[in-house]
Amino acid sequence: HEGLLSLAVRFDKPEILALLLGLGFDPDERRRLDLDPPEDTWGQPLRNCAEYGRLQMAEMLVACDADPNAHIYASGTPLFVAFGKKDHALIELFEKHGGYLDAEMVGWLGLAEKAQQMLDDEAAGRLRKEAIPPSAEGCPVAELLLIGGVNHTGILKLALPRVQRARDDPWWAKKLDEGCGRGDIGCLRLLLEHCDVAACAPTILQEIAGGEWPESQGFRPEKERAIKATMLLDAGARLDTRDEWSRSTPLAHACREGRIELVRLFLARGADPVEADAEPWATPRAWAQKMKHDDVLRILSDHSPNS
């Protein structure tokens, strides 16, 4: 749902925007969402300026005190969008009128220079309160940077040495999961240098075998899975763990999904093709049969002692 000002910006109607502002319409179009609990959202007109590159209309809105740090529900602030679009004119305008990125936004955008400044300011005790979102009060800057920064090598190199977490802390599991799913190879390698994957993420290889991945870095998704799984195995990831919901090992997950390259890799690294101690429905063979992956069944037969 968009208000009249937001629609005027979307359809590039500066004369209508001027009329509405002159009539006293709220430049931020603040409204309350019917959520549990209710939540305020505001700033869609200025966000649309950033989305569609409407500098003139943005100037009209900030002249009426529109907020470049407005919190549009699940959409980011106007300044965040301007940085994402690399619209330097709008960035300059918004910062001139008080726009400021918090640490989480800086991480998502991969802004290493701003990340370094925040880390230095935190260490010196001069960090602006706006750097920490209200929902993350007390959270260190380094950890906030990594919420979105797991896909940015520059952010990882700055933030990881400042994370005060034990190598076996379960906190690392989510970072590894994000790094496997959307991070590049170099980013995952940096994460693995700072944690004990076997202790903090015992079922990470099950995660590698599941879900759909887009092509990245020129690799086919299945090739990328195998590369990342190899990195995890080299770092100590375990092949004998079972996840809670399916009671299945990494090999069983790969068999269920028909991941030929992972099946071959896990078997080559010592995975048990039989799993006599598993639930009958949770063995690698049972999953391959259920999902009708005949090619996987042939590979399992080649590795089974009684075949």
Side-chain angles (χ1 to χ4, degrees):
H1 173 74
E2 289 187 329
L4 293 177
L5 277 73
S6 299
L7 291 171
V9 175
R10 178 183 289 273
F11 293 104
D12 197 15
K13 301 294 183 182
E15 69 283 359
I16 295 178
L17 180 65
L19 174 64
L20 295 170
L21 291 172
L23 290 172
F25 276 61
D26 175 11
D28 286 322
E29 287 189 334
R30 182 182 293 269
R31 60 193 176 94
R32 175 152 289 196
L33 299 175
D34 186 17
L35 301 173
D36 186 17
E39 189 164 334
D40 288 334
T41 184
W42 71 99
Q44 190 66 47
L46 208 54
R47 186 194 187 282
N48 280 4
C49 289
E51 183 69 31
Y52 300 108
R54 314 276 199 231
L55 177 60
Q56 177 193 359
M57 301 176 86
E59 289 171 337
M60 295 164 61
L61 285 162
V62 296
C64 294
D65 296 324
D67 183 3
N69 298 315
H71 288 270
I72 304 104
Y73 180 72
S75 297
T77 69
L79 179 60
F80 178 81
V81 176
F83 265 99
K85 294 287 186 177
K86 297 181 172 58
D87 191 322
H88 300 293
L90 281 174
I91 291 170
E92 182 179 355
L93 175 69
F94 291 165
E95 289 187 331
K96 179 181 176 181
H97 286 82
Y100 186 76
L101 297 173
D102 64 33
E104 184 177 341
M105 296 178 192
V106 168
W108 277 106
L109 293 164
L111 302 176
E113 185 175 339
K114 287 186 177 294
Q116 181 68 70
Q117 186 63 58
M118 283 186 172
L119 290 165
D120 291 346
D121 287 348
E122 181 184 46
R126 58 173 182 263
L127 184 69
R128 290 178 56 168
K129 63 181 180 60
E130 296 91 345
I132 309 296
S135 60
E137 186 176 355
C139 185
V141 167
E143 293 188 12
L144 286 172
L145 289 169
L146 291 180
I147 291 175
V150 293
N151 199 29
H152 297 287
T153 303
I155 297 295
L156 286 168
K157 288 181 177 180
L158 291 171
L160 284 172
R162 310 224 192 176
V163 173
Q164 302 297 309
R165 298 268 183 174
R167 291 177 60 84
D168 61 353
D169 192 318
W171 179 86
W172 291 105
K174 185 175 182 181
K175 299 299 117 186
L176 287 170
D177 187 34
E178 292 169 348
C180 289
R182 62 184 172 85
D184 65 23
I185 304 298
C187 291
L188 179 58
R189 184 174 292 111
L190 288 171
L191 284 167
L192 288 170
E193 292 174 359
H194 289 266
C195 63
D196 180 347
V197 64
C200 70
T203 60
I204 189 67
L205 291 175
Q206 281 91 331
E207 299 295 331
I208 285 280
E212 296 299 324
W213 287 10
E215 185 168 331
S216 65
Q217 295 185 291
F219 296 120
R220 292 180 297 106
E222 300 317 304
K223 180 64 174 178
E224 184 180 350
R225 287 180 200 272
I227 292 171
K228 290 181 176 180
T230 300
M231 293 171 63
L232 290 163
L233 287 165
D234 290 344
R238 296 174 57 181
L239 285 164
D240 60 349
T241 59
R242 299 186 184 280
D243 64 347
E244 290 187 12
W245 74 269
S246 73
R247 304 303 302 157
S248 298
T249 63
L251 176 60
H253 271 266
C255 290
R256 184 190 70 211
E257 300 294 336
R259 313 283 188 206
I260 297 293
E261 294 185 43
L262 287 184
V263 170
R264 294 187 186 279
L265 172 64
F266 293 160
L267 288 168
R269 298 296 288 261
D272 180 1
V274 178
E275 296 187 12
D277 60 338
E279 298 285 349
W281 49 266
T283 65
R285 179 172 293 276
W287 278 120
Q289 288 174 333
K290 180 177 181 179
M291 305 306 292
K292 297 181 172 55
H293 294 310
D294 293 337
D295 45 0
V296 172
L297 286 169
R298 286 192 290 270
I299 296 172
L300 291 173
S301 294
D302 290 343
H303 287 77
S304 297
N306 297 323
S307 60

